Structure formats: C-alpha cells, structure tokens
Amino acid sequence: SLLLQTWTNRINEASKLALLAWERETGIELVQINGQRRYGGPPPGWVGGPPPAGTEVYIARLPQDIYEDTLIPLFESAGRLYEFRLMMTFSGLNRGFAYARYASRQEAQSAIATLHRFPLRRGCAIVVCWSTQKRELVLSDLAASVSQRELEATLQIVTEGIHSVTLHASPCQTQAKLAVLKYRSHEAAALAKKALMEGNLRFGEARMRVDWLDPQLKQKLQLGEEKPLPSWVQGDKSPAAAPTVSLQNVLECLNALCWKHRLRTPLFTTKCVQVTPSGWQRFWYQAVIPGSRVPINGFTWISPDRQGHSKHEKATAVAALHILRVLGESL
C-alpha cells in the first residue's frame, strides 16, 4: 500500500504541489470524501441559509490535471460561490467534471454566459450548463423474490438521504424486478449511485445494475401499470419523517420470528475481509441459530460515510435481514 501511495503521489505531482501552495496562501480548506473534493457549502463568511434550487451549474471537459487553484478563481469571477465540487479519481486526477453552486440564479446564469466554451487551455474549451439535478436511480436485474421491505431496509443501511423506493416488475425481463429510488437531493443520489456501484450488492443470484432513471423508462413504468405506492408516505411531509431501519428493530423482529419457530436467539460473527480505496468495507458474516443445524453465511459491503452504529453492527443488521429472507418472512 505504501508503494501504491507513492505511485499515486507522483501522478501530476507539480500541479498537486501548486494546489497545496494555493491552499496555504489563501487559507481555503478543501474536503475530500467519496470521490469528490468540496469547497464551501457554505464558504467562510457566508451569512444565511443555502441558495435556492436552480443555482448550480455543471462543468465538463476539464483537463484531468487541473485543480481548484485554477478553477475556483475562474468560477468566482462570474459570481459568489456557495460551493464547488470537483470529482476525483483515486490517483488524484480529476474525473473531468465538477459542479459550482452560486449565491443566486442570476450569478449561475452569468457563469454559463461567460464561461461556456471558455478556452481553459489551448484546444480545450470547457462546457458550462445548468445542472440537471437528477434525483432518481433505477436498480435492475433484481430477483423476482425481492420484497420492497427487504430492499428498503438494505438501502437505508448502505446509502444516505433516500426519500422513497418503488418496486416494479421488469418490463424487459421475465421473473425479474426493478426498483426506482428517489433521493432528497442530486448530491445524495450521485453519492448513492457511486456507493451502490462500488458496493457490489446482490439481491438474488445476479449482480444488480444501477443507473440514472431514464425519462422514457419512467413513462413506460407509469403507463404500464398502476403507480406503486411507496411504503413511506410522501405528500407534503418532510422526507426526514421516513422511518429508519436500526439494528435494534431488525434484531427485535428476528428474535420474535425465532421465538415463533421455537428457535433460540441467533449468534452472529462478522469479519472485515476487504477495504476499497474509497473506504467501502466488505464483511463476511455468519449467523448460527441454536436449534437449527445449518449456519447462514454471506458477504456484504458497508458504506464509509454512515454515522451512528459501527460497521460491525451494520454488517450484523444485514445478516439479520438475510435470515429473515431465508425464513420466508419480511419486516
């Protein structure tokens, strides 16, 4: 791992050193988490709440060896920045795109008018346009046996900011389902997409696929069947009111089920067997139910950014959900 770190530090070394010097000179603090590096949100000296919707622009076709010491001053020339997010690779290059959120819609409009097709480098004109603010993902290749409760419970453990989940029969595959996930914000949806892709989660034998929800597929789902009712009430209520799945209530449900089947309290073992560069941890788990001869084993990925329970507790919660599924029960 030391050799890998040395190798990544040497990639674009001169520009990285220039960025560090700029941070020291300006006192600007950049925070990197989950594949993106963030400035502001709010920036130093900001007064009041965050800007309204419609103040974020999307920036593309960035040279991968250019960083915030060039980009932030450029985009601040169009208006006051509330937040700037640069998408990063593990090696320390940028991924070619970023998001800038301004104090007002007028300043965002000014950034598009003045910086779209700006020649950041000879032969390299950048793209600056309105951020689409997508908030919906689609999970496909789900097993037909997957229940909505099981899916919701797992997603609450491994992603943040989920607003609703709706489960559909797949219009393209027989004996398969797909799910539409709606998140509270575009940022939450983008982080969830990355987390689910890296997490290698499975619901059934095949590995599920995750992507942004295509408008044509959304319309097809709405026309092809009655609109499914999410188990979380939406309406005008705050998404924060959605119920949460905790280790305690999963275990309470499992213990009640075992009592019903005259089995004793399950005993869990969890072990971290892999850690990805972005912080995901893969756990092996085993559950032994006294009175049942066969232990239940499996693997799960745990998100790096959840707060509250320890990662071993989250792995135990996933194991408990697995047992509930094996016993043919739902939450």
Side-chain angles (χ1 to χ4, degrees), residues 126-155:
I126 62 175
V127 170
V128 183
C129 59
W130 292 108
S131 173
T132 55
Q133 294 290 297
K134 294 179 181 178
R135 294 195 297 148
E136 291 178 300
L137 302 175
V138 59
L139 296 184
S140 52
D141 294 343
L142 298 175
S145 60
V146 171
S147 72
Q148 181 156 321
R149 294 269 183 184
E150 173 194 353
L151 183 61
E152 288 174 357
T154 303
L155 289 170

Side-chain angles (χ1 to χ4, degrees), residues 19 21 26 36 39 63 68 71 86 98 134 160 181 199 219 230 271 279 309:
L19 174 65
T26 61
Q36 63 177 317
Y39 158 75
E68 291 89 343
L71 296 172
L86 183 63
K134 294 179 181 178
E160 296 277 359
L181 319 179
Q219 184 178 33
K271 181 179 181 180
H309 289 305

Side-chain angles (χ1 to χ4, degrees), residues 74-94:
L74 175 65
F75 281 87
E76 278 186 327
S77 69
R80 189 179 181 197
L81 281 177
Y82 174 77
E83 182 179 69
F84 189 90
R85 295 182 288 124
L86 183 63
M87 305 302 118
M88 302 297 297
T89 69
F90 173 63
S91 65
L93 296 172
N94 79 63

Side-chain angles (χ1 to χ4, degrees), residues 269-275 279-286 297-303 310-316 318:
T269 303
T270 60
K271 181 179 181 180
C272 180
V273 295
Q274 183 181 351
V275 180
W280 275 82
Q281 295 186 16
R282 192 181 192 211
F283 277 81
W284 170 83
Y285 61 80
Q286 182 179 79
N297 303 294
F299 290 90
T300 186
W301 289 88
I302 301 299
S303 167
S310 73
K311 291 180 173 60
H312 282 277
E313 288 176 319
K314 294 170 204 167
T316 300
V318 173

Side-chain angles (χ1 to χ4, degrees), residues 248-261:
Q248 181 178 353
N249 59 36
V250 171
L251 291 180
E252 285 175 355
C253 181
L254 178 59
N255 289 338
L257 180 62
C258 289
W259 179 264
K260 175 182 174 182
H261 288 282

